[in-house]
Amino acid sequence: MPLHVIVGTQWGDEGKGRFVDWFAARAAYAARYNGGDNAGHTVTVGKRIFKLHLIPSGILQPGVIAVLGNGMVIHPRTLLEEMDRLIQAGIAINPERIRISYAAHLVTPAHQALDKAQEATRGKSSIGTTGRGIGPAYMDKASRHGLRMADLLQEDFVERVGDHLAEANRALQRLGAPTLDTAAICEEARSWAARLKDYVTDASLELNRALQEGKTVLAEGAQGTLLDLDFGTYPFVTSSTTTAAGALTGLGLGLTAARDARVTGVVKAFQTRVGSGPFPTEILDDLALRLRGTGANPWDEYGTTTGRPRRVGWLDGVLLRYSARLNGLTEFVVTKLDILSGLETVKICTAYRSGNQTVTDLPYGATNLTAFEPVYEELPAWQENISVVSRWQDLPAAAKNYLERVQELVGVPLRMVSVGSEREQVIKVSHVGKGQRFFRCGMRSA
Ligand code: IMP
């Protein structure tokens, strides 16, 4: 079985966690390849809701080995708290079930403090980061003086943490921000090493072996394509490679691992974004409140990590096509279709206009989006409660029509649609398209 990558096609929060959980039921490994605890993946299993920030959502499937790849930046405190919460929920957590790449970088309280202090100095042009220290941790990685998981195994680990904190305190002073209690953090670092060192391993070696033995490796992307450091809406992006290609560098896999890869793009039925940055199809009237929800439901549009209300808008087909291309999608799944039930009409942006020019491909990627105005197609909506629908043929015609249009824009087959937060509220799709055309793309069944 090949590598199977699950990637967000928008600005994150597409609902990847629930599909990773779904596909992990058939996988040997679930491996995160980028980001840190800026991510928040929610999975509902029966009456229980799991919010995961660092550990791959695949851990909720018994028998799956969860891998935290070298492309990640890991705050040991968050990781240990997350492990403890899972243990309390009865999930087996031990070095047999979790592997951490020796080459993953550490996020420390100093990175978090620097992240917040740097954002404060940016004023109006702040990125709206999650404040989790992600940017500063990747900066240390790129400038080659970061702390890595392998360092937990070294005798001088705590001393190195002390040096890192001293340097960070000097930077915080320069930014006019409060400094950190070095002794207390060094003491805490001692416990990180004691509790995590048995989990540190060469994850790349194990994953390559697993693929050679024909096992399925599910690579779980965090955030979304439009937050990618290179191809997202720079500078309003995160600091890692969020696209499917990141699965290779972020897990230590060679190019040949991608030969037969299945790449599933997760598309929310409408667009959301948290933090600053351009958003051409943003809705700013009362409809935004309706799509966002009140926050009473854990699936409402409020950040899993920060609790911030998400900005909402119509599905952006131009950015979706861009995302399909960048990730080399072989298929896609749609989440939260049920939220669109009961609207008067639904809109999809199919092109951008600038002056008298209309484009469907972006001339300079996702940069300069403010120069464009979206061109919409308005489609009939449906009034039925679709959260109880479990078969494609039982969906209202207008809902099927909407999905068919989305599929035309993405250009690869639609495989599944989620219509509620429960693990089983998923419609499998084997035939979508004008004339009920069957897709035979040589894909393996889910
Ligand atoms: P950072 O990753 O904390 O540096 O934040 C950079 C940008 O990415 C901000 O706009 C964040 O709101 C956004 N961001 C980071 N992680 C996520 C996520 O998991 N979901 C959605 N947005 C995210």
Side-chain angles (χ1 to χ4, degrees):
M1 285 281 265
L3 175 68
H4 184 179
V5 186
I6 311 270
V7 66
T9 58
Q10 294 154 314
W11 280 293
D13 309 318
E14 297 90 354
K16 296 177 288 296
R18 66 112 41 129
F19 277 105
V20 171
D21 171 62
W22 175 283
F23 288 118
R26 287 98 177 151
Y29 289 85
R32 263 275 300 270
Y33 60 81
N34 75 298
D37 62 2
N38 48 348
H41 296 154
T42 309
V43 184
T44 309
V45 184
K47 295 240 168 303
R48 295 193 300 175
I49 295 169
F50 295 90
K51 287 183 190 275
L52 299 167
H53 298 280
L54 286 169
I55 300 177
S57 310
I59 192 80
L60 300 176
Q61 294 287 357
V64 170
I65 297 174
V67 176
L68 285 81
N70 58 279
M72 289 186 71
V73 288
I74 300 169
H75 196 313
R77 187 192 292 162
T78 317
L79 178 59
L80 288 166
E81 284 169 3
E82 202 162 299
M83 285 174 158
D84 289 341
R85 272 201 305 278
L86 288 172
I87 291 167
Q88 277 162 18
I91 311 285
I93 299 294
N94 52 55
E96 297 302 307
R97 287 218 67 204
I98 297 187
R99 317 267 198 261
I100 306 174
S101 166
Y102 70 89
H105 276 246
L106 261 65
V107 180
T108 69
H111 291 131
Q112 292 181 323
L114 285 166
D115 192 0
K116 288 176 191 148
Q118 285 164 358
E119 275 285 89
T121 61
R122 288 186 190 118
K124 270 206 228 140
S125 48
S126 76
I127 296 165
T129 71
T130 58
R132 297 299 172 116
I134 306 301
Y138 279 115
M139 273 169 68
D140 276 358
K141 174 177 178 175
S143 56
R144 291 152 296 173
H145 62 262
L147 291 162
R148 305 204 299 175
M149 278 293 160
D151 296 323
L152 291 178
L153 311 175
Q154 302 302 317
E155 283 198 350
D156 65 349
F157 172 63
V158 176
E159 207 177 300
R160 292 198 52 202
V161 172
D163 293 345
H164 156 75
L165 294 171
E167 193 182 326
N169 271 343
R170 286 191 290 275
L172 287 167
Q173 260 167 354
R174 282 195 296 276
L175 291 165
T179 53
L180 298 155
D181 180 345
T182 309
I185 299 170
C186 283
E187 197 46 47
E188 188 185 343
R190 218 176 289 283
S191 71
W192 299 339
R195 282 195 65 192
L196 291 174
K197 65 178 173 16
D198 292 343
Y199 292 85
V200 178
T201 179
D202 186 345
S204 157
L205 182 66
E206 188 165 343
L207 291 174
N208 276 284
R209 275 199 188 133
L211 285 171
Q212 272 164 15
E213 287 165 12
K215 294 179 179 158
T216 299
V217 171
L218 194 62
E220 177 179 343
Q223 289 84 44
T225 305
L226 303 175
L227 289 173
D228 182 79
L229 181 58
D230 291 278
F231 295 105
T233 46
Y234 193 90
F236 301 101
V237 293
T238 191
S239 303
S240 66
T241 298
T242 61
T243 52
L248 300 183
T249 54
L251 295 175
L253 303 177
L255 276 181
T256 43
R259 196 172 34 209
D260 299 319
R262 178 176 174 182
V263 186
T264 306
V266 185
V267 179
K268 195 185 285 185
F270 51 99
Q271 208 83 11
T272 63
R273 165 162 219 173
V274 59
S276 322
F279 188 165
T281 60
E282 184 166 14
I283 299 173
L284 296 165
D285 59 22
D286 286 353
L287 182 58
L289 304 177
R290 153 79 174 72
L291 291 175
R292 184 179 300 125
T294 58
N297 179 328
W299 285 85
D300 286 349
E301 297 297 345
Y302 292 79
T304 314
T305 302
T306 59
R308 290 180 290 181
R310 295 181 190 138
R311 299 156 68 192
V312 296
W314 297 113
L315 190 66
D316 191 324
V318 177
L319 292 177
L320 201 49
R321 273 161 44 93
Y322 172 71
S323 192
R325 164 166 67 83
L326 279 174
N327 290 300
L329 298 187
T330 58
E331 59 183 24
F332 75 107
V333 295
V334 168
T335 59
K336 298 192 92 170
L337 186 69
D338 50 305
I339 302 298
L340 297 183
S341 297
L343 299 181
E344 280 169 30
T345 54
V346 277
K347 289 194 201 174
I348 308 184
C349 164
T350 52
Y352 283 166
R353 190 178 298 126
S354 174
N356 54 9
Q357 226 194 351
T358 302
V359 293
T360 51
D361 284 308
L362 297 161
Y364 303 105
T367 39
N368 247 347
L369 291 187
T370 42
F372 296 105
E373 184 195 325
V375 177
Y376 288 112
E377 247 176 55
E378 202 155 351
L379 304 176
W382 56 96
Q383 304 308 313
E384 295 88 336
N385 169 17
I386 59 169
S387 62
V388 290
V389 173
S390 57
R391 299 184 312 168
W392 170 259
Q393 57 264 44
D394 297 334
L395 277 174
K400 286 192 275 201
N401 186 43
Y402 179 71
L403 293 171
E404 283 170 8
R405 186 67 185 107
V406 176
Q407 182 180 257
E408 274 169 19
L409 291 166
V410 184
V412 293
L414 170 64
R415 290 298 306 274
M416 286 196 260
V417 183
S418 80
V419 290
S421 58
E422 295 291 328
R423 204 180 227 177
E424 302 305 326
Q425 282 178 296
V426 166
I427 301 171
K428 287 191 196 170
V429 183
S430 54
H431 54 287
V432 173
K434 304 287 179 225
Q436 299 288 288
R437 186 157 53 90
F438 276 76
F439 284 99
R440 297 197 189 282
C441 300
M443 285 182 310
R444 285 145 197 88
S445 59

